[in-house]
Structure formats: structure tokens, C-alpha cells
Amino acid sequence: GVTQSPTHLIKTRGQQVTLRCSSQSGHNTVSWYQQALGQGPQFIFQYYREEENGRGNFPPRFSGLQFPNDSSELNVNALELDDSALYLCASSLAGGPYYEQYFGPGTRLTVT
Amino acid sequence: AQSVTQLGSHVSVSEGALVLLRCNYSSSVPPYLFWYVQYPNQGLQLLLKYTTGATLVKGINGFEAEFKKSETSFHLTKPSAHMSDAAEYFCAVDSGSRLTFGEGTQLTVNP
């Protein structure tokens, strides 16, 4: 399955954070979502074969990387209080008419 | 752009009663629709999906949903609620390889 680390972390406003995800074996696409408290997940961006393949309405201080070994990262610079949320990683296999996405358990980020 | 609207942020039912969670979608193309469940402090688990074909879709844990194009709806049902069904439920539409989620419906099951 999809795994994410760390489970929880606390950062201070202005700091930088890196969240990690390990995709399901064989999947070539990873998507990241932000889920604020009491809301549905919001699409941040997607990576396909190590290239960004679409971005939602998030500023450039949200960036990502995808590696050949089924792992990926979400980096957030200059953290703001509103960045406090559950960050979900989802992996999928591109090639069909839709992407069936498999979600990890998430990383809970708290910015103080 | 595709979107979904979930009617009712909180639904409360008695154990054994019918569960009905409502979802309406907006899409300019034939939609791919999904229902996910999220238990406390966990990620999202796929309950069921509609892609093409049969409009009544059966999922895990006894849930099913019916795609109604004329009503632009994809409501989730379960004939008899169980305590373990208490969770948050999200309807989502595939928006070109990304998912657009509704705001979610918190289901409470009372003994």
C-alpha cells in the first residue's frame, strides 16, 4: 500500500517542511492533497514519471519531487498558519480513462 | 470544471436504519464518480466507483450508489447501518486525473 512519513509534525511559521510518501509498487503517478480541518481534500499537484503533471490552486512555495524508486516528497517553504492540515498522498497507474487513486494515511502538519 | 456538492454535513441514523448520503455533481463530460470513507485519523478508503456501464454500483461494507444522469446525482446508500459505519464520507469526481472532493458528510450511528 501507500505509506507516508512522518505521521505528525509541528513546525513554526516561516520554517520549511518535507513530507514523504511511498507509492504502491508499480504505480507511476503520485498526487498530493491538502485536507484542512472539516473540509474535503484539495488537490495540490500531481507527478507523473518524475515530472509535474498538473497543479491546483496552490502557490509555488508548495513543491514536489518524484523519484524512480516509488517515493516522492512534498516540500513547503515559508510555512504559514493556514498550512496546518492533513496532507494526503495518493498513488495511481496512469494509462486508463480515469485514475483510481490509492491514499496513504496522511501526515498531520501543525504550524504554530 | 467538474464539482460535487454533498447535501448535509452531518447525518445521524439509528443502528439498523437506512443510510442515505447525498451527492450531486456538475460535469460537462460523462463523469467518473467515487465515494470514499475516512475514519478518524486515517486516510481515505475507496468505497465504490462509477465509471461506465451499470448505473447501480455496489461497493464494500454493504454500500451502494446509483448514478442518475437526469438528476446529476450519485447518492450513497446502505440498507442497515452498523456502528462501525460511523465515519466521514466524501463524494468525488475525476477532473482529468485529479479528484475534486465534496466537503464531506459526517455519519453518526446511534445505538
Side-chain angles (χ1 to χ4, degrees), chain A residues 13-49:
Chain A
R13 188 172 51 184
Q15 286 187 317
Q16 178 267 342
V17 69
T18 297
L19 311 182
R20 293 180 173 81
C21 172
S22 179
S23 299
Q24 188 159 313
S25 180
H27 283 182
N28 55 14
T29 303
V30 63
S31 304
W32 287 90
Y33 293 82
Q34 180 196 66
Q35 185 179 14
L37 198 62
Q39 297 183 21
Q42 299 287 320
F43 175 76
I44 303 175
F45 47 55
Q46 182 182 88
Y47 278 77
Y48 170 66
R49 292 185 175 175

Side-chain angles (χ1 to χ4, degrees), chain A residues 43-92:
Chain A
F43 175 76
I44 303 175
F45 47 55
Q46 182 182 88
Y47 278 77
Y48 170 66
R49 292 185 175 175
E50 303 164 44
E51 297 286 333
E52 187 176 294
N53 183 43
R55 171 178 281 264
N57 190 26
F58 282 82
R61 60 188 185 85
F62 285 79
S63 63
L65 288 170
Q66 184 186 24
F67 303 102
N69 63 351
D70 295 335
S71 67
S72 59
E73 292 180 353
L74 164 65
N75 299 288
V76 187
N77 294 321
L79 283 167
E80 301 177 359
L81 296 179
D82 285 348
D83 296 333
S84 295
L86 180 68
Y87 288 85
L88 296 164
C89 160
S91 74
S92 53

Side-chain angles (χ1 to χ4, degrees), chain B residues 8 12 21 25 27 29 37 57 59-60 73-74 78 85 89:
Chain B
S12 181
L21 305 182
Y25 70 90
S27 177
V29 298
V37 61
V57 181
I60 63 171
S73 68
F74 189 56
K78 182 174 180 178
D85 295 327
Y89 292 79

Side-chain angles (χ1 to χ4, degrees), chain A residues 33 35 46 97-98 100-101, chain B residues 32 38 49 51 90 97 99:
Chain A
Y33 293 82
Q35 185 179 14
Q46 182 182 88
Y98 65 93
E100 185 161 334
Q101 304 198 17
Chain B
Y32 299 120
Q38 186 175 37
K49 63 180 182 287
T51 55
F90 292 95
S97 82
L99 292 173

